[in-house]
Amino acid sequence: MALEIERKFLLPEYPERLLEAGELKILTRQTMEQTYLAIDGAQELRVRKITDLDTGEITYTHTFKDGKGISREEVEYSISAGLYDQMIEAVQAVPLIKTRLTGIWNGVTVEIDSYTQLELAVLEVEFESLEEAESFEAPAWFGKDVSVERQYSNKTVWKELQAKG
């Protein structure tokens, strides 16, 4: 199983100045509709509908994750629109919707997620090793490190959305 090693930061404001100055270069812009099929402790099973905002291309993924904290096991693969629709129909849940900008800042790939249904924006950085993740010095504009704060995990935010919905 593949290992996902990432740190997450609570983005205090959209980095418009860095974009305008060319210090943050956008690679992709996507919207994601994310729905959990099952959550059991540290394990989660989810599907995503991903729309590329520049090309209009739509893709679908199915993901299994296991673990807590900055290092978790992850298996993700593409699925068909039909299979995605069947799973969404089966769970009858409200998807978590976010816009993701993937960019390069100072040689580091960053993902900025802005959530549609709530006032929340986070920035994630993925790493090749736990040592690299732990030694990474985040700049102040990333905001507070919330990598291990469960209330900022997608599955927690999604559960709260279901309670409202």
Side-chain angles (χ1 to χ4, degrees), residues 13-157:
E13 64 182 11
Y14 192 76
E16 196 65 46
R17 181 187 58 77
L18 294 173
L19 288 166
E20 289 171 2
E23 294 175 42
L24 174 59
K25 295 186 181 359
I26 298 299
L27 301 174
T28 61
R29 298 177 323 119
Q30 305 168 314
T31 58
M32 297 180 174
E33 295 180 24
Q34 182 166 306
T35 303
Y36 289 84
L37 307 174
I39 298 172
D40 183 21
Q43 295 184 338
E44 61 191 66
L45 195 59
R46 70 156 196 244
V47 289
R48 276 184 177 163
K49 175 182 178 182
I50 304 166
T51 304
D52 186 301
L53 294 174
D54 296 316
T55 67
E57 179 185 7
I58 299 173
T59 56
Y60 303 88
T61 61
H62 185 256
T63 306
F64 169 78
K65 289 189 178 192
D66 187 18
K68 294 182 193 257
I70 65 172
S71 178
R72 304 188 302 162
E73 292 183 357
E74 178 183 66
V75 175
E76 183 170 80
Y77 54 91
S78 296
I79 59 172
S80 68
L83 185 54
Y84 172 84
D85 290 340
Q86 286 178 25
M87 288 189 236
I88 291 299
E89 183 66 29
V91 295
Q92 294 286 310
V94 177
L96 181 62
I97 302 171
K98 60 187 174 181
T99 299
R100 172 170 288 173
L101 299 179
T102 302
I104 300 286
W105 170 81
N106 203 23
V108 176
T109 301
V110 298
E111 295 175 337
I112 297 172
D113 289 343
S114 301
Y115 295 82
T116 301
Q117 298 120 314
L118 58 154
E119 288 188 35
L120 177 64
V122 297
L123 182 145
E124 296 178 353
V125 180
E126 291 195 16
F127 300 93
E128 295 295 319
S129 70
L130 201 50
E131 296 76 25
E132 184 184 359
E134 290 170 344
S135 66
F136 179 72
E137 297 281 337
W141 73 269
F142 278 25
K144 178 183 175 190
D145 188 334
V146 294
S147 302
V148 296
E149 294 188 32
R150 293 167 91 185
Q151 75 261 32
Y152 297 107
S153 75
N154 281 315
K155 69 181 174 185
T156 300
V157 172

Side-chain angles (χ1 to χ4, degrees), residues 2-20:
L3 206 55
E4 175 191 59
I5 303 167
E6 70 180 9
R7 288 185 47 199
K8 182 183 284 194
F9 303 88
L10 190 57
L11 195 62
E13 64 182 11
Y14 192 76
E16 196 65 46
R17 181 187 58 77
L18 294 173
L19 288 166
E20 289 171 2

